[in-house]
Amino acid sequence: EPEVTQTPSHQVTQMGQEVILRCVPISNHLYFYWYRQILGQKVEFLVSFYNNEISEKSEIFDDQFSVERPDGSNFTLKIRSTKLEDSAMYFCASSYVTDTQYFGPGTRLTVL
Amino acid sequence: GESVGLHLPTLSVQEGDNSIINCAYSNSASDYFIWYKQESGKGPQFIIDIRSNMDKRQGQRVTVLLNKTVKHLSLQIAATQPGDSAVYFCAENKSGGATNKLIFGTGTLLAVQP
């Protein structure tokens, strides 16, 4: 069964450093998403991406964040200068059309 | 500063019993609802969905009920098993645009006692 994959599973970084979180969505999906979940809290929408551009973004997704689909398979989330409060689980999701979103296993980002 | 996590509502059931997990959604314009299961350290896993033109939808051992009048959603799990232990989230979605963001609820921790 096809699934969304994410790497790395755990990323530790120093405050102010750049991180890139990687995702491989399900191969025939057209819509891509990033969500985050701070420990013990609910899952929050960050950004959606379709047709090689951002469709929608939340207030959390400020200028420090960017997304890219550099090739036909990868979808990345970059945080330019990490802050302590960026520590969270980051989930990638994809959907074929604008309905059921399938989530990856997540990347745990720890900012020290 | 220190962040305080949400206190998750917890439902504790005996193995074999039926479970009912409830969710209130916020946006009356939402027309698509999904239940996700999240096990510790994993991503949300799709369980079942329902569109606003339906009141009930059944899957394997799971049933979702939608009451649009009071903006309430429930997930019923029949013959609950230890493997059902997880946090369950409802999510709402307003379709019609170029894409759809999911708005997640707080979550309910289901603890199945053997």
Side-chain angles (χ1 to χ4, degrees):
Chain A
E1 184 176 324
E3 58 183 19
V4 177
T5 60
Q6 291 185 243
T7 55
S9 57
H10 192 186
Q11 175 84 50
V12 181
T13 190
Q14 295 291 323
M15 189 170 56
Q17 295 297 303
E18 175 184 286
V19 294
I20 297 176
L21 309 183
R22 291 184 165 78
C23 169
V24 178
I26 294 173
S27 62
N28 65 336
H29 284 187
L30 304 175
Y31 298 82
F32 314 111
Y33 313 83
W34 283 101
Y35 292 81
R36 80 169 186 193
Q37 185 178 33
I38 294 172
L39 184 64
Q41 299 189 18
K42 55 185 175 180
V43 178
E44 301 174 287
F45 170 80
L46 291 178
V47 66
S48 57
F49 191 87
Y50 170 71
N51 200 25
N52 284 318
E53 61 183 18
I54 290 174
S55 301
E56 189 171 1
K57 58 184 180 181
S58 71
E59 295 175 350
I60 304 166
F61 195 89
D62 60 22
D63 292 344
Q64 293 301 311
F65 291 86
S66 63
V67 289
E68 192 178 28
R69 186 153 165 84
D71 53 41
S73 60
N74 291 283
F75 180 52
T76 62
L77 174 69
K78 181 192 291 186
I79 309 175
R80 288 189 186 83
S81 179
T82 49
K83 303 185 288 287
L84 294 176
E85 54 264 38
D86 293 329
S87 294
M89 283 289 288
Y90 287 81
F91 295 107
C92 174
S94 69
S95 62
Y96 177 61
V97 291
T98 55
D99 56 7
T100 309
Q101 296 178 26
Y102 294 90
F103 284 75
T107 293
R108 179 174 298 283
L109 177 65
T110 302
V111 183
L112 303 176
Chain B
E2 183 179 356
S3 66
V4 179
L6 293 171
H7 175 69
L8 281 178
T10 299
L11 175 65
S12 185
V13 300
Q14 290 294 124
E15 181 178 357
D17 287 352
N18 297 332
S19 303
I20 300 176
I21 301 170
N22 297 302
C23 175
Y25 64 92
S26 57
N27 187 353
S28 57
S30 294
D31 55 6
Y32 179 59
F33 306 90
I34 313 101
W35 280 100
Y36 285 94
K37 171 186 180 184
Q38 187 177 29
E39 296 173 283
S40 181
K42 297 184 178 180
Q45 176 188 358
F46 172 84
I47 302 173
I48 192 168
D49 57 4
I50 188 168
R51 298 197 178 275
S52 59
N53 60 352
M54 302 174 70
D55 298 322
K56 179 179 179 179
R57 189 161 188 228
Q58 288 185 290
Q60 187 177 15
R61 280 203 307 119
V62 294
T63 301
V64 54
L65 299 177
L66 175 62
N67 185 331
K68 296 180 286 295
T69 303
V70 294
K71 294 191 286 187
H72 183 268
L73 199 63
S74 69
L75 176 70
Q76 300 178 2
I77 304 174
T80 314
Q81 302 167 0
D84 294 328
S85 294
V87 177
Y88 288 80
F89 292 95
C90 66
E92 59 183 295
N93 183 325
K94 173 67 178 74
S95 63
T99 187
N100 297 280
K101 67 179 182 183
L102 293 176
I103 307 296
F104 280 80
T106 306
T108 296
L109 174 62
L110 176 64
V112 182
Q113 310 301 323

